[in-house]
Amino acid sequence: MALHFALMIDPAASDDARTDFSETFTAVDPAAPALTVGELSTQRGDGIFESIGVVDGHAQEVGAHLSRLAHSAQLCDLPQPNARQWREAVTRAAAECGPGEAVIKLILSRGIEHGPTPTAWVTAATAADNTRARTRGIRVVTLDRGYTLDAPTRAPWLLLGAKTLSYAVNMAALREAHRRGADDAIFTTTDGFVLEAPTASLILRRGDTFVTPAPHGGILHGTTQLSLFDHLAAEGYETVYENVPASALHTADAAWLVSSVRLAAPITAIDDVDVPVDAELTAAVNAYLLSPRD
């Protein structure tokens, strides 16, 4: 039976030190109306979110997701989320998930136009079956993101390092990838550097070294990539952050897109050029990512 759960949150101040926030939560029917027509998340995409993978009722990397939610709030001039309150909301949502894989989403909106602010809620739902992507891999194309690597420094108001609700460009990129016969895309800058995928981080392998684009230039620092780099380092591999030229994509010994719900999807081709796949390592990586991670 598919899981559908929603919890509205009355946001507490970041310095609220209470230990029980249960009275600030209201469970709602996820199929029933819950937002007003003046809600800025729907009118303007003016808000932020996080997607947390859940495996057998265990919410993965909650601390890292809450830290990134706080970072996004800071970039967007939103009230700082109360970490204790949001963690309690995640715990309550995870208790609804049961066996198998699910996804919890945290949403913080600027609120109602000319009215109370902010608006916040949490949802939980059954995750899609990502077995095929994890085992058979994905084909990707490169797409120009339309700005240079230093754009976030020159124009911080573009919010390029925040995980905002304004995902229209990301979804358009995925549709374009599908039109080109691929499963996903990798964004590049106009001056020839690799960024990330619309909903995932990129990891390349060069021998025993694993490389990901440095988390500046508008890259959203991936929680799954961070966890996986810690694991790889513990296994004796070298992990590196660097500015990756687009030309380096076709010289990698292997490549993956990694994210909280799909986990590690090996890339089989980039712009119709085949990429080597390390099936054994991919299986080991996904076994780690499916294990309980705090």
Side-chain angles (χ1 to χ4, degrees):
M1 183 176 179
L3 166 69
H4 296 285
F5 175 78
L7 193 70
M8 299 301 296
I9 300 175
D10 181 9
S14 59
D15 59 355
D16 189 330
R18 76 180 90 173
T19 58
D20 182 2
F21 289 93
S22 57
E23 65 181 25
T24 67
F25 305 143
T26 304
V28 297
D29 180 354
L35 300 175
T36 73
V37 293
E39 170 60 43
L40 293 175
S41 62
T42 54
Q43 284 195 7
R44 299 175 182 168
D46 194 356
I48 57 177
F49 78 103
E50 285 290 323
S51 296
I52 301 176
V54 183
V55 180
D56 295 331
H58 184 276
Q60 307 279 54
E61 302 287 344
V62 176
H65 282 285
L66 293 181
S67 293
R68 194 167 65 180
L69 186 75
H71 179 65
S72 293
Q74 181 180 22
L75 290 176
C76 295
D77 296 318
L78 285 164
Q80 279 295 296
N82 184 299
R84 291 185 180 187
Q85 181 185 37
W86 285 86
R87 184 177 287 275
E88 188 173 327
V90 170
T91 298
R92 182 163 173 180
E96 301 288 330
C97 293
E101 294 183 51
V103 56
I104 292 174
K105 289 191 176 182
L106 317 180
I107 301 98
L108 177 62
S109 159
R110 200 168 301 278
I112 302 169
E113 190 168 21
H114 310 305
T117 181
T119 306
W121 66 99
V122 170
T123 65
T126 304
D129 184 356
N130 289 293
T131 304
R132 181 184 178 91
R134 294 172 189 167
T135 58
R136 300 184 63 177
I138 55 175
R139 300 177 66 85
V140 305
V141 293
T142 55
L143 297 178
D144 190 336
R145 191 66 173 86
Y147 55 76
T148 58
L149 193 65
D150 65 346
T153 302
R154 291 185 293 102
W157 51 87
L158 294 179
L159 305 178
L160 296 174
K163 193 173 179 69
T164 71
L165 292 170
S166 306
Y167 252 46
V169 170
N170 304 62
M171 297 301 99
L174 288 176
R175 291 193 297 273
E176 178 62 24
H178 296 160
R179 279 192 286 269
R180 299 187 186 192
D183 304 294
D184 213 321
I186 295 173
F187 285 132
T188 60
T189 66
T190 55
D191 48 351
F193 292 94
V194 176
L195 293 171
E196 59 191 346
T199 62
S201 303
L202 172 69
I203 295 177
L204 304 175
R205 180 177 183 178
R206 296 191 308 233
D208 288 335
T209 300
F210 290 82
V211 180
T212 196
H216 55 72
I219 292 175
L220 185 72
H221 209 168
T223 57
T224 305
Q225 174 266 310
L226 282 166
S227 179
L228 186 53
F229 264 32
D230 285 344
H231 171 70
L232 291 169
E235 293 291 308
Y237 295 103
E238 183 180 6
T239 58
V240 177
Y241 294 89
E242 62 182 43
N243 293 334
V244 179
S247 58
L249 290 173
H250 298 299
T251 62
D253 295 320
W256 297 263
L257 292 185
V258 300
S259 55
S260 297
V261 179
R262 188 170 59 185
L263 304 184
I267 297 174
T268 62
I270 301 175
D271 293 331
D272 292 325
V273 177
D274 289 343
V275 176
V277 173
D278 189 331
E280 183 177 356
L281 179 59
T282 298
V285 161
N286 277 318
Y288 162 73
L289 293 176
L290 284 167
S291 66
R293 292 177 289 120
D294 296 319

